[in-house]
Amino acid sequence: MGAALLPIERAHAGISGWDVAHSWLKVAASTDVSAGDDACLYNGAPALAFVLHAASAEGSGKYARALEVLDRSISRLTDRRVDQAAGRIARGELPALAEYDLISGLSGIGAHLLFRSPGGAAFQRVLSYLVRLTEPLRVDGQLLPGWWTGHDPHFNHSAGYPRGHGNFGMAHGVAGPLALLSLALSNGYTVDGHREAVDRICAWLDTWRQHHEAGPWWPQWITDNERRTGRLIQRGPGRPSWCYGTPGVARAQQLAGLAIGDGSRTQMAEHAVAGCLSDPVQLGSITDASLCHGWAGLFVTAWRAAANATTPTIAERLAAVREPLLRHAAQGAGDGIGLLEGDAGLALAVHIAEHHVAPISGWDRCLLIS
């Protein structure tokens, strides 16, 4: 599905024709478009609907009939998944990452609904669910964050995570719900308890914010032992990626600061992003060009942060990322043709780097950075 976003963006920009984009959309529609319980932003009906809506972002009404059919399926899917989550909360059980995260969960479905139909009942249900997700949950006598999961970061049960973990990342952790709640709030779509939910996540991120000479950083995740002792295993900032690194977590907090009018949080988040861009050790840990965890993802996340920043610091440091991004792109460094790890995502990031304009299709909304 994601590979179709590249010809769509190029068609919007007049670089190639809509016949090319339509051919890619036919390929996307010929794959699994299930609206089963495992359908999500990156798979099945929501993925196809996101791509089709991106194709009609200029208001032409392209693919309107197909989108109407998909809208109904996605509304029913959302209701089922929210109901399942509500049942799990009522039973006092911990969630799986795939219940709420951006890649597989309700935050990802919510990202599509914010793009497609933010005033609808389905989006309201997602927001209300995320508010409930932020409320503490008592499990085995311990009060845990509502997003604490009972498995390890790899979706398995393993000896190193006997009591699960708390995930910080944009792709699979609590930064995704924070970004969605914040974007909704900034656009005037709110539910009861919305502001309080943003505050709860931000408070948790403040608790685990670490300090480095380059700027603030956050762990990828913490174990229950780390939660109880307050001592981290991770000794310093990790790879500066969109998916798990400081850039994604900081962008979510910048969006939160903008949404709730918290200038101090906004400036702290911008300092964190700028620090990544100026630290040769952090930049040296990037090993690929991908959107998920490479140069492309770092660039587009920082580019979006720079567009909203209160100072020009991030924009002034983007050159440190733009040059290696373009160099890797010239070498054809994507892994396959896909979006998150392949050539499509890399080329979409390069398009922004070369033309200095926001995506016409809105494709980067699937990253919850805009």
Side-chain angles (χ1 to χ4, degrees):
M1 301 282 185
L5 290 169
L6 176 60
I8 286 170
E9 181 64 27
R10 286 177 169 168
H12 279 305
I15 296 171
S16 61
W18 277 105
D19 55 334
V20 177
H22 184 68
S23 295
W24 277 93
L25 286 167
K26 287 177 66 176
V27 172
S30 68
T31 61
D32 179 22
V33 291
S34 166
D37 289 349
D38 61 345
C40 57
L41 179 59
Y42 286 86
N43 179 59
L48 179 59
F50 182 90
V51 171
L52 291 176
H53 187 66
S56 56
E58 84 293 1
S60 67
K62 293 186 184 74
Y63 311 107
R65 185 174 299 177
L67 278 165
E68 289 173 2
V69 173
L70 288 166
D71 286 343
R72 291 191 291 271
S73 295
I74 293 166
S75 180
R76 291 191 294 270
L77 166 67
T78 304
D79 283 341
R80 289 198 311 275
R81 294 197 60 169
V82 170
D83 287 346
Q84 289 165 5
R88 186 271 305 163
I89 293 171
R91 294 189 299 273
E93 298 171 356
L94 294 173
L97 292 178
E99 178 186 291
Y100 69 81
D101 74 8
L102 170 59
I103 299 298
S104 301
L106 280 160
S107 291
I109 293 173
H112 165 66
L113 293 172
L114 177 60
F115 189 26
R116 170 68 179 163
S117 53
F123 187 53
Q124 291 285 300
R125 291 207 72 193
V126 171
L127 292 178
S128 294
Y129 155 73
L130 290 177
V131 169
R132 290 196 68 189
L133 182 75
T134 69
E135 296 171 357
L137 194 64
R138 187 170 295 279
V139 179
D140 296 331
Q142 297 190 71
L143 200 62
L144 299 170
W147 58 85
W148 190 272
T149 185
H151 55 71
D152 69 19
H154 308 292
F155 299 81
N156 298 311
H157 294 279
S158 58
Y161 299 84
R163 288 175 292 277
H165 79 290
N167 201 299
F168 290 77
M170 182 71 94
H172 292 296
V174 75
L178 177 62
L180 182 60
L181 286 165
S182 301
L183 287 165
L185 185 58
S186 291
N187 285 280
Y189 302 103
T190 63
V191 294
D192 290 344
H194 199 131
R195 168 64 189 263
E196 292 78 6
V198 170
D199 288 342
R200 277 192 288 270
I201 299 174
C202 287
W204 197 68
L205 292 172
D206 288 346
T207 297
W208 293 100
R209 184 172 67 235
Q210 307 297 305
H211 302 282
H212 183 267
E213 60 184 11
W217 63 276
W218 295 264
Q220 295 184 92
W221 53 72
I222 58 171
T223 66
D224 188 61
N225 186 59
E226 289 173 293
R227 180 190 66 81
R228 288 184 292 103
T229 64
R231 294 193 295 271
L232 288 180
I233 295 173
Q234 186 176 330
R235 306 312 302 170
R239 179 171 52 186
S241 62
W242 162 78
C243 60
Y244 267 116
T246 293
V249 179
R251 175 57 174 165
Q253 292 184 81
Q254 182 191 29
L255 291 170
L258 292 168
I260 64 178
D262 184 346
S264 296
R265 182 167 303 281
T266 303
Q267 292 170 16
M268 177 276 297
E270 292 167 9
H271 179 46
V273 175
C276 294
L277 304 181
S278 62
D279 184 1
V281 175
Q282 290 185 63
L283 294 179
S285 67
I286 301 174
T287 58
D288 66 74
S290 74
L291 202 57
C292 184
H293 42 254
W295 292 107
L298 173 58
F299 179 83
V300 297
T301 305
W303 190 88
R304 280 296 189 181
N308 300 127
T310 55
T311 73
T313 307
I314 298 175
E316 291 168 354
R317 297 179 182 178
L318 274 175
V321 182
R322 185 177 183 272
E323 188 278 329
L325 168 65
L326 297 179
R327 184 175 69 250
H328 279 83
Q331 298 168 355
D335 182 9
I337 64 170
L339 180 69
L340 287 181
E341 298 186 347
D343 289 333
L346 176 56
L348 285 163
V350 167
H351 182 82
I352 295 175
E354 291 181 336
H355 297 277
H356 308 287
V357 293
I360 301 169
S361 65
W363 70 264
D364 63 336
R365 289 173 181 249
C366 70
L367 304 177
L368 278 179
I369 58 174
S370 68

XYZ file of all heavy atoms in Angstrom, residues 9-46:
274
model
N 2.111 11.391 -4.654
C 2.713 12.694 -4.366
C 3.306 13.310 -5.628
O 3.165 14.521 -5.878
C 3.792 12.548 -3.287
C 4.466 13.851 -2.890
C 3.520 14.856 -2.237
O 2.510 14.430 -1.623
O 3.788 16.071 -2.346
N 3.939 12.494 -6.461
C 4.518 13.009 -7.710
C 3.442 13.485 -8.677
O 3.625 14.481 -9.382
C 5.380 11.919 -8.354
C 6.708 11.705 -7.635
C 7.520 10.581 -8.236
N 8.882 10.562 -7.711
C 9.742 9.566 -7.875
N 9.367 8.481 -8.551
N 10.956 9.637 -7.362
N 2.308 12.798 -8.687
C 1.207 13.237 -9.548
C 0.641 14.565 -9.058
O 0.367 15.475 -9.852
C 0.117 12.169 -9.603
N 0.458 14.698 -7.761
C -0.010 15.964 -7.192
C 0.936 17.109 -7.554
O 0.498 18.235 -7.814
C -0.111 15.876 -5.672
C -1.363 15.225 -5.166
N -2.624 15.655 -5.508
C -1.549 14.183 -4.305
C -3.534 14.914 -4.892
N -2.909 14.001 -4.164
N 2.233 16.811 -7.548
C 3.243 17.843 -7.814
C 3.469 18.082 -9.304
O 4.247 18.974 -9.670
C 4.561 17.451 -7.141
N 2.823 17.291 -10.166
C 2.989 17.459 -11.604
C 4.266 16.866 -12.159
O 4.641 17.139 -13.305
N 4.916 16.017 -11.372
C 6.165 15.398 -11.817
C 5.889 14.210 -12.714
O 6.633 13.931 -13.657
C 7.010 14.981 -10.600
C 7.417 16.223 -9.800
C 8.247 14.193 -11.019
C 8.059 15.910 -8.468
N 4.811 13.494 -12.440
C 4.401 12.368 -13.278
C 2.884 12.400 -13.408
O 2.206 13.163 -12.706
C 4.870 11.038 -12.682
O 4.299 10.824 -11.403
N 2.344 11.564 -14.274
C 0.919 11.594 -14.545
C 0.110 10.758 -13.574
O 0.633 9.868 -12.890
N -1.207 11.023 -13.561
C -2.093 10.261 -12.688
C -2.273 8.829 -13.164
O -2.686 7.962 -12.395
C -3.445 10.961 -12.570
C -3.401 12.050 -11.542
C -3.349 13.395 -11.761
C -3.373 11.870 -10.122
N -3.277 14.074 -10.571
C -3.303 13.165 -9.541
C -3.398 10.759 -9.282
C -3.249 13.358 -8.168
C -3.347 10.955 -7.917
C -3.286 12.234 -7.361
N -1.944 8.565 -14.433
C -2.043 7.197 -14.913
C -1.061 6.288 -14.170
O -1.374 5.135 -13.858
C -1.798 7.128 -16.423
C -0.478 7.754 -16.833
O 0.021 8.654 -16.115
O 0.065 7.359 -17.892
N 0.116 6.836 -13.864
C 1.107 6.057 -13.109
C 0.589 5.796 -11.689
O 0.639 4.664 -11.188
C 2.455 6.796 -13.051
C 3.462 6.013 -12.201
C 2.996 7.029 -14.460
N 0.068 6.838 -11.053
C -0.460 6.675 -9.702
C -1.626 5.687 -9.688
O -1.727 4.843 -8.786
C -0.909 8.028 -9.154
N -2.489 5.778 -10.686
C -3.643 4.885 -10.732
C -3.210 3.433 -10.896
O -3.801 2.531 -10.296
C -4.574 5.285 -11.872
C -5.835 4.473 -11.922
N -6.814 4.563 -10.956
C -6.258 3.526 -12.809
C -7.793 3.724 -11.249
N -7.482 3.083 -12.355
N -2.166 3.214 -11.667
C -1.656 1.845 -11.836
C -1.183 1.283 -10.500
O -1.436 0.115 -10.178
C -0.503 1.836 -12.849
O -0.963 2.195 -14.129
N -0.502 2.097 -9.716
C -0.051 1.658 -8.405
C -1.228 1.413 -7.466
O -1.208 0.481 -6.649
C 0.906 2.686 -7.807
C 2.303 2.512 -8.298
C 2.892 3.138 -9.361
C 3.296 1.632 -7.757
N 4.183 2.704 -9.520
C 4.461 1.786 -8.547
C 3.320 0.742 -6.689
C 5.629 1.074 -8.290
C 4.489 0.035 -6.435
C 5.620 0.201 -7.234
N -2.252 2.247 -7.578
C -3.429 2.056 -6.737
C -4.162 0.767 -7.088
O -4.706 0.095 -6.201
C -4.368 3.255 -6.865
C -3.887 4.518 -6.136
C -4.702 5.729 -6.561
C -3.989 4.316 -4.627
N -4.185 0.406 -8.352
C -4.795 -0.858 -8.752
C -4.046 -2.027 -8.131
O -4.655 -3.010 -7.690
C -4.818 -0.982 -10.279
C -5.837 -0.092 -10.959
C -5.773 -0.204 -12.464
C -6.196 -1.586 -12.952
N -6.208 -1.647 -14.433
N -2.721 -1.922 -8.103
C -1.919 -2.966 -7.462
C -2.257 -3.036 -5.966
O -2.443 -4.116 -5.401
C -0.417 -2.691 -7.659
C 0.423 -3.660 -6.829
C -0.054 -2.799 -9.133
N -2.347 -1.861 -5.316
C -2.656 -1.829 -3.891
C -4.021 -2.438 -3.606
O -4.200 -3.201 -2.649
C -2.603 -0.392 -3.378
N -4.996 -2.117 -4.446
C -6.357 -2.613 -4.230
C -6.489 -4.102 -4.515
O -7.467 -4.727 -4.081
C -7.333 -1.834 -5.110
N -5.519 -4.668 -5.219
C -5.577 -6.096 -5.541
C -5.011 -6.957 -4.420
O -5.121 -8.180 -4.455
C -4.807 -6.376 -6.835
O -3.407 -6.183 -6.644
N -4.399 -6.325 -3.405
C -3.858 -7.070 -2.268
C -4.927 -7.182 -1.192
O -6.080 -6.804 -1.385
C -2.607 -6.377 -1.714
O -2.967 -5.062 -1.264
C -1.534 -6.251 -2.788
N -4.545 -7.691 -0.034
C -5.498 -7.904 1.050
C -6.042 -6.569 1.556
O -5.299 -5.723 2.053
C -4.807 -8.646 2.191
C -5.736 -8.877 3.380
O -6.964 -8.842 3.170
O -5.225 -9.094 4.482
N -7.336 -6.367 1.417
C -7.969 -5.146 1.928
C -8.987 -5.519 3.014
O -10.054 -4.934 3.124
C -8.625 -4.309 0.807
C -7.573 -3.702 -0.085
C -9.602 -5.155 -0.009
N -8.629 -6.471 3.802
C -9.499 -6.954 4.866
C -9.793 -5.848 5.882
O -8.942 -4.996 6.168
C -8.841 -8.138 5.581
O -9.494 -8.423 6.800
N -10.986 -5.883 6.436
C -11.336 -5.028 7.563
C -11.501 -5.877 8.814
O -12.255 -5.542 9.723
C -12.606 -4.244 7.276
N -10.784 -7.007 8.863
C -10.785 -7.857 10.042
C -10.118 -7.175 11.219
O -9.563 -6.076 11.089
N -10.135 -7.830 12.355
C -9.660 -7.193 13.582
C -8.177 -6.840 13.559
O -7.722 -6.033 14.379
C -9.947 -8.091 14.787
C -11.439 -8.146 15.112
O -12.203 -7.336 14.545
O -11.841 -9.003 15.934
N -7.405 -7.439 12.648
C -5.988 -7.087 12.565
C -5.709 -6.011 11.525
O -4.554 -5.637 11.299
C -5.143 -8.327 12.264
C -5.499 -8.972 10.928
O -6.572 -8.648 10.362
O -4.710 -9.814 10.454
N -6.746 -5.470 10.881
C -6.549 -4.380 9.921
C -6.094 -3.125 10.663
O -6.507 -2.864 11.790
C -7.845 -4.115 9.158
N -5.233 -2.344 10.017
C -4.626 -1.202 10.696
C -4.158 -0.190 9.657
O -4.346 -0.384 8.453
C -3.455 -1.663 11.557
S -2.170 -2.550 10.625
N -3.530 0.860 10.115
C -3.089 1.918 9.214
C -2.139 1.400 8.139
O -2.110 1.933 7.035
C -2.408 3.027 10.022
C -1.859 4.221 9.236
C -2.954 4.936 8.447
C -1.148 5.198 10.169
N -1.381 0.373 8.450
C -0.392 -0.133 7.512
C -0.792 -1.457 6.874
O 0.023 -2.079 6.192
C 0.966 -0.262 8.217
C 1.615 1.085 8.460
C 1.317 1.840 9.586
C 2.504 1.624 7.539
C 1.890 3.084 9.793
C 3.089 2.857 7.736
C 2.772 3.584 8.866
O 3.351 4.823 9.070
N -2.039 -1.869 7.077
C -2.468 -3.146 6.518
C -3.983 -3.186 6.384
O -4.712 -2.785 7.300
C -2.012 -4.296 7.424
C -2.444 -5.648 6.922
O -2.102 -6.052 5.813
N -3.217 -6.358 7.727
N -4.461 -3.671 5.238
C -5.890 -3.862 5.067
C -6.646 -2.602 4.683
O -6.096 -1.670 4.102
N -7.922 -2.559 5.047
C -8.823 -1.487 4.614
C -8.358 -0.091 5.036
O -8.396 0.845 4.217
C -10.228 -1.765 5.130
N -7.913 0.124 6.277
C -7.456 1.477 6.633
C -6.260 1.930 5.803
O -6.154 3.112 5.457
C -7.089 1.352 8.112
C -7.890 0.191 8.603
C -7.926 -0.771 7.455
